[in-house]
Amino acid sequence: MRAFALTLICLATPSAAWTVDVDGGICVLENSQDAADLRMTFDPSGPLYSIALTTSDPWDSGPIFSMDFRGPRGQIISTTRHILDQDDRRVRVEDTGFGNVLDGLEFNSTATANLGLVSVTLDLTGAAPAIQAFRDCTVSPFA
């Protein structure tokens, strides 16, 4: 998605810890910043990945959700398969592959999520080790 005429930009302050855990047989990556809470999951039984960004203010509705990763391996990715829920405060995307999302988070310095006229920027400082741990996450079939 390209730049918008009007954009609400929420600049993140240095991010809190990036965490990886297993919850009920699903790998979970989480990070909370002033701009948004990020939660990414991987369910190996699908396989299915998801990413959700929750903000204190509602997202704008729009036909395309995109993420603009800035840094050494910058890229812009987009989809029309996003879902708004929690009173439009959470945007969520699910897919069977997330390599481009993981690369964007691991190898760049910021990620700006865009939906309609709303943009939220996340600081990716310290994300790389957690993204690698998320990639390496394995779940016992008996978990």
Side-chain angles (χ1 to χ4, degrees):
M1 178 176 273
R2 305 297 177 241
F4 297 104
L6 296 173
T7 306
L8 172 65
I9 300 175
C10 299
L11 296 174
T13 57
S15 61
W18 291 80
T19 61
V20 176
D21 202 355
V22 175
D23 182 9
I26 297 173
C27 297
V28 178
L29 169 87
E30 293 181 303
N31 178 260
S32 183
Q33 299 185 23
D34 290 341
D37 294 330
L38 178 145
R39 179 178 168 91
M40 184 179 298
T41 62
F42 173 63
D43 181 351
S45 68
L48 185 66
Y49 289 88
S50 74
I51 186 168
L53 292 166
T54 305
T55 58
S56 57
D57 294 322
W59 287 94
D60 194 12
S61 61
I64 299 172
F65 172 75
S66 70
M67 292 188 79
D68 181 356
F69 298 101
R70 297 291 172 112
R73 291 180 54 184
Q75 63 177 325
I76 298 173
I77 58 176
S78 63
T79 184
T80 59
R81 297 177 9 202
H82 60 282
I83 299 165
L84 278 172
D85 52 25
Q86 291 189 344
D87 297 327
D88 295 339
R89 290 177 33 286
R90 180 171 66 188
V91 61
R92 186 169 39 98
V93 177
E94 297 176 343
D95 204 340
T96 56
F98 256 36
N100 54 359
V101 176
L102 294 169
D103 287 350
L105 293 171
E106 183 173 0
F107 301 116
N108 292 292
S109 55
T110 63
T112 300
N114 304 290
L115 181 57
L117 299 177
V118 175
S119 295
V120 174
T121 299
L122 299 174
D123 180 359
L124 302 179
T125 302
I131 300 301
Q132 189 58 56
F134 184 80
R135 289 181 193 266
D136 295 340
C137 181
T138 57
V139 177
S140 167
F142 304 106

